[in-house]
Amino acid sequence: MAQVKSIAVIGAGTMGSGIALTAAVSGIDAFTVDVSEEQLARAKAYHGKTIGRNVEKQRMTQDEADAAVSRISYVTEMDAASQAEWVVEAATEQADIKKKIFKQMHETFGDDVVLATNTSSISITEIAAAVDDAADRVIGMHFFNPVPVMKLVEVIRGLATSEQTTTRTLELAQAMGKTAVPANDRAGFVSNRVLMPMINEAFYAWMEGVAEPEAIDEIMKLGCNWPMGPLRLADFIGLDVCHDILMVLSRELGQDKYFPCPRLRQLVTAGRLGNKTRHGVYDYREA
Ligand code: NAD
């Protein structure tokens, strides 16, 4: 099939804004859709700043930057993006929200449009059940944060996902400059099945006084040669997102070890969600 020329991204938060930017820089038109005007404004500011920095660092010319900016549109209604040839849902990590969005995606987009989800942990088969006669077009297309930088896309087939949908997803990932790796449809897939328990354990180590966050992060960073420690990474991902993923793992895999640490739950309850609220494990408000 011909290369995808336009995509709609549902949700303009940390991930949706990154996916839209990556598409635009790869020559694909991107409709950024969010129920929140504020989030759309934030996404637009992030796009302008990132593209501007790319020009400054001579990673792209001013003409290329202008072309990328002109490919992105910002809308609050899904209908306004209905001509898109592909749709990726990147909204809040809650199954009921995603199922509702998928029903709307099914009604809004054409019959040959792939309905992809960027979910970190929710079963693709469960999401696909919301659009039963289109389940063959539903697939997990799991990008990593920050999307413009991270090379991986974890591709997850649901029970009914067709070969054609899978092949087209691998092609789109490649057109966006990514390396796609398949994983099976089990809560958390590979990446978050391994990563989230580690982040949760770092919260326990902090709560139990094993060390302060700075020391936990420094030990893991230098000891494992990671670019950042687990608590700093949790702030970067979003503490609410980590919490929601752990709730899915805990429920779906049926083991208490996945249940979010009380210290993590407390910060989320307090509205300290990490980078996005400029306060999480660490305080970024003065920075
Ligand atoms: P986020 O909280 O930053 O953004 C979610 C956005 O969805 C918000 O802007 C919200 O307004 C919007 N939204 C909610 N309901 C909507 C609706 N009905 N229609 C349109 N927009 C709606 O979350 P995020 O970190 O961008 O995560 C989005 C998805 O990507 C989640 O499924 C998450 O698990 C996954 N993910 C996150 C990361 C990460 O590092 N944050 C990495 C990979 C995957």
Side-chain angles (χ1 to χ4, degrees), residues 14-15 34 39 90-91 93 98 118 120 142-143 145 237 276:
T14 311
M15 295 305 290
D34 203 293
Q39 284 289 77
E93 184 73 351
K98 292 200 187 287
N118 188 50
S120 304
H142 184 206
F143 290 88
N145 186 17
I237 293 170
K276 67 174 96 171

Side-chain angles (χ1 to χ4, degrees), residues 140-213:
M141 194 177 188
H142 184 206
F143 290 88
F144 288 73
N145 186 17
V147 182
V149 176
M150 300 294 280
K151 283 278 167 217
L152 179 64
V153 176
E154 199 176 20
V155 173
I156 308 104
R157 295 177 66 155
L159 188 65
T161 308
S162 70
E163 277 301 329
Q164 192 190 40
T165 299
T166 309
T167 307
R168 292 181 66 200
T169 304
L170 299 178
E171 284 168 4
L172 179 61
Q174 194 180 22
M176 291 173 76
K178 304 298 179 198
T179 302
V181 182
N184 285 327
D185 189 20
R186 189 91 169 105
F189 322 124
V190 171
S191 52
N192 285 305
R193 175 77 178 261
V194 176
L195 177 64
M196 284 300 150
M198 192 195 72
I199 286 179
N200 209 29
E201 208 55 39
F203 277 95
Y204 275 110
W206 176 23
M207 191 178 80
E208 291 170 10
V210 180
E212 289 303 306

